Every structure is written in structure tokens, then in C-alpha cells.
Amino acid sequence: MNYITKRILTSIALIILIYLSLKSSSILMITLLLLCFFSINEFNQIYKNIFKKKNFFIFIATIISVLYILLFSLVVWFNLTSTEYLQTFSLIFLLLICISTDIGGFIFGKIIGGKRLTKISPNKTYSGMVGSFLFSLLFGYLFYHTQKNILTFDFNIFIIILIVSLISQLGDLMVSFLKRKANIKDTGSLLPGHGGVLDRIDGILLAIPLGIFLISI
């Protein structure tokens, strides 16, 4: 089974898991607990590679990551289990933007390629960045248009989508920077075709809490 096939099958499995999590609070809780466990473990392994035997720095960096991941999980939990449709659909909207950003960057980067965006990650290109914005605008607006009776924002919808997509890409670059410092290719091997949990949710981790804050002000 080649890389692309593994990536597609893993993506389908993750989409099914997200769908089930939306339907059941029990599955959502289990999913968030697993996400916390694996992502914290992967962060810890990264910090061990970066700081070597400097246990104090490993401890501090891991604690900061734990606190942030707990904050992220609480934001997801309270929005998806809320009785307010606006909160639930807002989070789904933000999640769709993040996924579209990732898919757009992957497709445009693979098909068009071109000049590297940054030395932090050799796979990030300018064409991939354009694809990320285009896909997020397309699918984000389509979702907003079908649910605009629920999704009422004070900001212009295109500005929201572009900002959230940008934050998602920055989250991706942040984890890429940590991987580069740790001298590793993937944060783990749990997800075939994707690497570790952090390789899959790096952009989402940053974009969801900041996106919720953005649309709530």
C-alpha cells in the first residue's frame, strides 16, 4: 500500500471518528482523552530530543504543552456538547477550514510544487499555501452559506476564513519547527500516511481556540 493510499484511508477513518464523536458525547470524551494522551506523549518525545538530558527544560516544556492541550480539549468539549447550535456549528465550521487548509496545501503542493515557503519545512511551498487558502475559502464559505441562519458572525466571513486558515498553517509550521529542532521526520507512527497525532492536528490545535476567540469577540 503506497503513501497516498494510506493517507486517504487514514483520513476517511478520522472523518468517521469525528462524525461519531459529534453523535455521542461518550465517544467524544474517549476521543479527546486519547488525543490528549498521544499528543502529550509525542510532545514529550520531541522535547527529549531537543533538550537531551536537560530534564528541567523537558519538564517545563511538557507542562506548558499539557496545559494548552487541556485548554484545547475543553474548548472542543464545551462547544460540541453545547445546547446552543451556534457554538457547535462554529466549531465544525472552524474544523472544516482547518481540514480544507491541510488538503488544499497537500494537493497543490504535490501537483504544482514550486519554490519552498520556508526552510523550516521542505514540504511547504508557495503553491501549497495558495491551495490552502483557496480550499478553505471554497469549503468554508459553502458550509457557511448552507448554515448562515445559524452562523451569525460580526466579522466578514472571508476575513474569518483567511485568518483561521493562516493560523492553521502557522500551527503546522510551529510543529514542523519543533520536529526540525528534534531532528525527526514525524512526531510518531500511529496514523499510517500521516505520522503521529501531532502531524495530523498541528494546525487544528492552534486554530480552534484562537478561531473560537475570534468569532466570539
Side-chain angles (χ1 to χ4, degrees):
M1 189 181 296
N2 61 35
Y3 171 78
I4 299 296
T5 303
K6 288 180 180 179
R7 189 177 179 95
I8 292 173
L9 291 176
T10 303
S11 296
I12 293 172
L14 291 174
I15 290 171
I16 293 173
L17 181 59
I18 291 172
Y19 174 78
L20 294 175
S21 297
L22 293 172
K23 292 291 185 179
S24 169
S25 58
S26 298
I27 295 177
L28 174 61
M29 178 175 288
I30 293 172
T31 300
L32 289 176
L33 287 173
L34 290 174
L35 182 148
C36 287
F37 174 79
F38 287 113
S39 56
I40 289 170
N41 182 64
E42 289 176 13
F43 266 127
N44 183 250
Q45 292 300 318
I46 288 173
Y47 298 141
K48 285 180 178 178
N49 282 17
I50 294 175
F51 297 115
K52 307 302 180 183
K53 295 182 179 181
K54 298 176 182 178
N55 293 329
F56 175 76
F57 292 106
I58 295 172
F59 175 76
I60 294 299
T62 301
I63 287 297
I64 292 173
S65 298
V66 168
L67 292 176
Y68 184 80
I69 290 171
L70 288 176
L71 170 65
F72 168 83
S73 299
L74 288 173
V75 169
V76 172
W77 172 262
F78 284 118
N79 278 272
L80 288 185
T81 58
S82 173
T83 56
E84 297 290 334
Y85 284 129
L86 176 60
Q87 289 181 267
T88 301
F89 277 79
S90 293
L91 193 136
I92 296 172
F93 170 69
L94 295 174
L95 186 60
L96 178 62
I97 293 174
C98 294
I99 294 173
S100 301
T101 294
D102 184 65
I103 294 174
F106 178 76
I107 292 176
F108 273 59
K110 286 293 182 182
I111 294 177
I112 301 175
K115 187 177 179 180
R116 290 183 183 179
L117 180 64
T118 172
K119 292 181 179 180
I120 293 175
S121 177
N123 294 323
K124 302 296 185 295
T125 61
Y126 282 98
S127 62
M129 180 181 67
V130 171
S132 292
F133 283 127
L134 287 177
F135 268 54
S136 62
L137 283 169
L138 173 62
F139 292 104
Y141 181 75
L142 285 175
F143 182 81
Y144 168 77
H145 184 72
T146 59
Q147 306 295 333
K148 60 183 178 181
N149 58 320
I150 297 175
L151 297 173
T152 53
F153 304 134
D154 292 331
F155 286 98
N156 180 278
I157 186 62
F158 295 109
I159 293 177
I160 292 176
I161 294 173
L162 289 174
I163 291 176
V164 173
S165 179
L166 176 61
I167 295 172
S168 180
Q169 293 179 62
L170 290 175
D172 190 346
L173 286 175
M174 286 174 61
V175 173
S176 294
F177 173 76
L178 290 175
K179 289 193 293 185
R180 189 178 182 86
K181 296 292 287 185
N183 196 30
I184 58 175
K185 181 179 182 295
D186 297 319
T187 61
S189 57
L190 181 67
L191 305 175
H194 292 274
V197 172
L198 289 179
D199 290 310
R200 179 67 279 172
I201 66 167
D202 44 14
I204 294 173
L205 272 179
L206 188 63
I208 292 297
L210 293 180
I212 289 293
F213 174 77
L214 173 66
I215 63 181
S216 63
I217 59 177

